[in-house]
Amino acid sequence: MAEQGTTRVKRGMAEMQKGGVIMDVVNAEQAKIAEAAGAVAVMALERVPADIRAAGGVARMADPTIVEEVMAAVSVPVMAKARIGHVVEAKVLESLGVDYIDESEVLTPADEEFHINKHAFTVPFVCGARDLGEALRRIGEGASMIRTKGEPGTGNVVEAVRHQRMMQSQIRKVSSMSLDELMAEAKKLGAPYELLKYVHENGKLPVVNFAAGGVATPADAALMMHLGSDGVFVGSGIFKSDNPEKFARAIVEATTHYEDYELIANLSKNLGSAMKGIDVASLLDNQRMASRGW
Amino acid sequence: MKIGVLALQGAVAEHMKLLEKVGAEPVAIKKVEQLNDIDGIILPGGESTTIGKLMKKYGFDTALQEFSAQNKPIFGTCAGLILLAGEIAGQDWNHLGLMNITVQRNAFGRQRESFETDLIIDGVAEDFRAVFIRAPLILGIGENVKVLSEYNGEIVSARQGNLLCSSFHPELTDDARMHDYFLQMVIEYRGQTV
């Protein structure tokens, strides 16, 4: 008998994205540029994170017209963002047929206490995390893919690096622990015990773990792969750069060949300016998207 | 027996794990030159548009055609099947064009329509748990192609001499029987490489 929406089918979808780049797009034209450059998926949005920052106000799920326009334009998978805790936005996106939902801190949270129960959906979810505990809480709620939160829309990779370093170092620590120590660690991290046990036994998360939030150059993408990411999300970094087509192609290649430094040097030549970016240290606490959600 | 997994994008590690399980020596292939060191190769699941573009960019398209001409086995799963196909419905170009099959991309619909089910695979298993993710279907076959498995009357796995393909992802389960079947193909063809 055929079964849809199983854990294996949902997590498997993310496995197929590994080693690839997922790009933010706001219309059909950008989606086609992303696909032609070799994106493994596109994220359909009303505004890229840098513009969401600039616009201020409440950021919500994109107009379904944009999501449908992007879905009609490309054959690669299409993702879309719902607000943290906004079950109805997520159900709407599922009904549109998007291939993956990002329960995202880039949008203004709809619920400051509860994230969406993602087990109740056929469509898989990706969620942001800053550390192992947060990643395992989201997986416990049914997320099929994890990404670092980074600091979206800044073009500054420092927070994504911090989050991936933290995650990898905690995974190494848990892997080498004695079984006796695991429950205390689960309490300390606020992580579900059974999922922490999986990490202890397998030395990795039970789902794919991507980098996101501030990736702006081919070298940034390669750095995140070097730190153990399975793939990369690029939000504002492509379409806020001088030459989106070139940046998109170069970031795709740098992600595949992240250890080929001569190639990355060549890819980085005459690219034009990357997005201008923001020094994360200059952001006020209430301007930080990474601290949304828990 | 050294078997490569094309490592440009996709589920590479999963294939390598199962190859190890059946006793082969897996190698992640990122450069064309590495093809000389292996006896067979798997084209993994991933995004066929992405893998196809990178393949062409680095000359893997002609190199893999030569690889196949030397009678070395190639196994394509999901995106890999699309890469092997001679004809892709709705488009006037193909990637490697090695197998006499016509395929339909995303034939079951979008991700929410993805599923898993049990299949009978000729010469492999009577009860293979097959995971289909935005999977392609084989609409038609030509000369020398043998159907290995069908789902609801549609072709989901086939073989043409040294070439093997499946719509589903044997790399997403712990069942290594499909990989063992491919290893036997590699052993069988190793004596016949030209």
Side-chain angles (χ1 to χ4, degrees), chain A residues 249-260:
Chain A
R249 277 200 306 270
I251 290 175
V252 167
E253 279 196 67
T255 303
T256 296
H257 291 292
Y258 65 94
E259 291 170 313
D260 187 338

Side-chain angles (χ1 to χ4, degrees), chain A:
Chain A
M1 204 191 78
E3 290 179 83
Q4 294 178 329
T6 61
T7 299
R8 188 148 57 190
V9 165
K10 292 201 276 190
R11 290 181 182 178
M13 163 72 201
E15 301 282 350
M16 296 310 138
Q17 305 271 296
K18 283 196 300 192
V21 182
I22 299 168
M23 302 181 193
D24 279 6
V25 300
V26 300
N27 55 40
E29 186 201 349
Q30 289 188 352
K32 282 182 179 157
I33 292 172
E35 185 180 46
V40 290
V42 293
M43 176 79 71
L45 288 161
E46 212 157 297
R47 294 191 185 103
V48 294
D51 290 336
I52 289 176
R53 261 186 204 290
V58 176
R60 311 178 178 90
M61 170 186 83
D63 181 331
T65 323
I66 295 173
V67 178
E68 284 178 337
E69 179 189 319
V70 169
M71 280 168 43
V74 293
S75 67
V76 295
V78 175
M79 303 187 170
K81 289 186 195 290
R83 281 181 267 177
I84 290 173
H86 207 309
V87 182
V88 172
E89 282 188 351
K91 284 285 180 193
V92 168
L93 293 173
E94 182 177 54
S95 80
L96 292 175
V98 302
D99 298 295
Y100 235 96
I101 295 174
D102 185 1
E103 186 183 19
S104 178
E105 67 283 1
V106 167
L107 305 181
T108 310
D111 191 325
E112 291 187 335
E113 195 169 357
F114 302 110
H115 285 251
I116 296 169
N117 170 21
K118 295 163 275 284
H119 292 295
F121 287 74
T122 305
V123 67
F125 277 75
V126 55
C127 287
R130 289 161 292 185
D131 56 34
L132 183 59
E134 193 171 15
L136 295 179
R137 288 192 291 279
R138 296 293 85 77
I139 297 167
E141 292 160 354
S144 306
M145 181 183 196
I146 290 295
R147 53 168 178 75
T148 59
K149 285 182 163 174
E151 192 51 53
T154 60
N156 189 337
V157 80
V158 65
E159 293 299 307
V161 167
R162 189 192 317 281
H163 300 159
Q164 193 59 271
R165 284 247 186 231
M166 173 62 88
M167 198 111 68
Q168 298 297 340
S169 119
Q170 289 173 315
I171 289 172
R172 280 191 295 273
K173 185 177 165 207
V174 168
S175 305
S176 63
M177 275 183 165
S178 136
L179 204 52
D180 306 347
E181 299 168 314
L182 269 195
M183 187 57 88
E185 188 68 11
K187 184 185 173 198
K188 191 178 135 205
L189 293 175
Y193 177 75
E194 290 303 325
L195 291 174
L196 199 68
K197 197 155 163 253
Y198 178 95
V199 174
H200 172 69
E201 286 164 2
N202 296 278
K204 63 184 187 78
L205 293 181
V207 304
V208 162
N209 179 11
F210 267 49
V215 175
T217 67
D220 284 352
L223 170 64
M224 295 314 299
M225 295 300 285
H226 169 81
L227 293 176
S229 309
D230 290 318
V232 179
F233 282 85
V234 186
S236 320
I238 308 264
F239 290 99
K240 285 285 162 192
S241 71
D242 266 5
N243 191 336
E245 282 178 74
K246 267 174 102 173
F247 262 84
R249 277 200 306 270
I251 290 175
V252 167
E253 279 196 67
T255 303
T256 296
H257 291 292
Y258 65 94
E259 291 170 313
D260 187 338
Y261 308 112
E262 269 181 54
L263 177 82
I264 297 169
N266 284 325
L267 292 169
S268 307
K269 283 177 189 165
N270 301 314
L271 263 184
S273 295
M275 67 178 288
K276 180 163 177 277
I278 300 171
D279 180 2
V280 176
S282 72
L283 292 175
L284 301 172
D285 279 352
N286 65 6
Q287 293 174 315
R288 288 181 182 245
M289 291 171 171
S291 54
R292 295 168 168 178
W294 52 277

